[in-house]
Amino acid sequence: MSLTRPQWDFVAAPEQFPAMVAGFGAGKSHAAIWRTLRLKRAYPAQNVAYYLPTYDLVTRMALPRFSETLSDVGGRFKVNKNDSVIDIENCGSIILRTMDNPARIVAYEVADSICDELDTLPTDKAREVWNKVIARNRQKKPDKSLNTVGVATTPEGFRFVYERWKKAPAAGYRLIKATTISNAANLPDGYIDSLRNSYPANLLAAYLDGEFVNLTSGSVYAEFDRLLNATDIVMQVSEPLHIGLDFNVGQMSAVVFVLRNGEPHAVDEITNVLDTPAMISVIKSRYEGHSIHIYPDASGNSRKSNNASESDISLLRTARFMVMVNSSNPAVKDRVLSMNQMIHNEGKRRMLVNVDRCPGLVECLEKQAYDKNGEPDKKSGLDHLNDACGYFITYRYPVKSHNVQLTRIGGI
């Protein structure tokens, strides 16, 4: 067999849960088929399950390609199209099943499994399929090695595969990335150029490079890049801190910036705080010795904090923070424009983020999309840190002049 390096890594991966996340034409199904056959050769008395999104793909893609590959290597086999099973002489069976109805993943046992294009499923369905597949993996191996489930898929944004293999991988989960270019020798002339001419930049990152990116066409902060907008800067002792603050009872959020040569660097974040008094307590205890500049949501002038008769902004002033607040919030589009201008404009990336210290902000910037009304989505919970960040950015780096009402009241 002829395999690229990423294909071979997946075929031979010893980990319990390897995932080959690849661009179009990177040969992920080819690798998945060969991984299946390797497992069959290693454990001839045990069965392997091969899963695809739909029955049409089982009959049109998987059965013919397995048959072709087995014939090429001289294997003796029988295909039962009615049951979608391939019986290999003296080498057990390959059981092909679909993932479109997780409730039907029942009534058989295998030692190992392969899920082809798992990430094309909605996140909740993919998670259910994953749990069902693992439940079928219960045939014991003679060498007592672990049952495995391999995944070969294109990355479809921030779905199940991102969450399980990239965001918070557990022991035994291995991510193997493959670009379309890695398999260029096996692709028709002009194939890669046709992809480049057909897709915008964010889709090319997914479908050519195998990257996890926001595939929503209406991504609010589409130019944010966790590598290009990254910084390793941290706050220094007694350094002034500039904190954007979003008011939401039970979900108060803040993003902490320092300024270097006048440019903003996000160096910390605060999330899921109950109310303004609790947020004040967190800020005072966490950043003792720093002068604190707060850039709050201007609507805090009228809203009341929990168990308090004062407005949220009044409480901040009473805490002796330096409160920078406009008389009203800018238009949402102006706030988004200010943010995007600082994220990337004319080749410059002025707003940088310490990715290790601000993982929530990074996720929100990457994932937040526009809703059906053309407004930044607020149902996914990805808006709080972005809004907090935006209040600071819009105040300090507005896209147009504002009449500013500034209140300075001492330090803490």
Side-chain angles (χ1 to χ4, degrees), residues 165-231:
W165 276 269
K166 179 70 174 179
K167 181 180 178 182
Y173 284 77
R174 178 186 177 186
L175 178 62
I176 300 165
K177 297 180 69 176
T179 66
T180 303
I181 294 171
S182 70
N183 196 39
N186 299 310
L187 297 173
D189 291 342
Y191 178 81
I192 293 174
D193 286 338
S194 70
L195 290 179
R196 289 194 174 113
N197 294 332
S198 300
Y199 291 99
N202 65 322
L203 297 186
L204 277 178
Y207 296 148
L208 189 64
D209 299 329
E211 298 286 351
F212 294 104
V213 296
N214 193 333
L215 298 184
T216 306
S217 60
S219 177
V220 179
Y221 303 108
E223 290 295 328
F224 177 79
D225 187 296
R226 67 167 58 221
L227 298 178
L228 299 179
N229 287 94
T231 181

Side-chain angles (χ1 to χ4, degrees), residues 347-365:
K348 296 180 180 179
R349 295 181 182 270
R350 298 177 62 190
M351 189 186 87
L352 302 180
V353 180
N354 186 315
V355 176
D356 294 330
R357 297 289 301 171
C358 305
L361 176 61
V362 170
E363 182 176 11
C364 292
L365 289 170

Side-chain angles (χ1 to χ4, degrees), residues 332-404:
V332 173
K333 65 178 182 180
D334 288 343
R335 174 156 48 89
V336 170
L337 184 57
S338 293
M339 285 274 285
N340 278 320
Q341 180 175 266
M342 295 299 291
I343 288 170
H344 186 217
N345 185 46
E346 295 182 351
K348 296 180 180 179
R349 295 181 182 270
R350 298 177 62 190
M351 189 186 87
L352 302 180
V353 180
N354 186 315
V355 176
D356 294 330
R357 297 289 301 171
C358 305
L361 176 61
V362 170
E363 182 176 11
C364 292
L365 289 170
E366 288 179 331
K367 290 185 177 182
Q368 190 180 22
Y370 287 103
D371 62 20
K372 63 182 180 181
N373 298 315
E375 297 291 331
D377 174 63
K378 289 186 171 292
K379 294 182 179 180
S380 61
L382 299 169
D383 56 308
H384 305 309
L385 284 169
N386 285 346
D387 288 353
C389 183
Y391 295 131
F392 162 71
I393 292 295
T394 306
Y395 186 96
R396 294 286 304 217
Y397 312 95
V399 292
K400 62 180 183 180
S401 298
H402 292 284
N403 293 322
V404 176

Side-chain angles (χ1 to χ4, degrees), residues 55 63 78-87 96-97:
Y55 181 73
L63 286 175
K78 292 182 180 179
V79 176
N80 185 331
K81 292 184 179 180
N82 291 330
D83 294 334
S84 299
V85 174
I86 302 172
D87 295 310
L96 292 101
R97 292 292 183 266

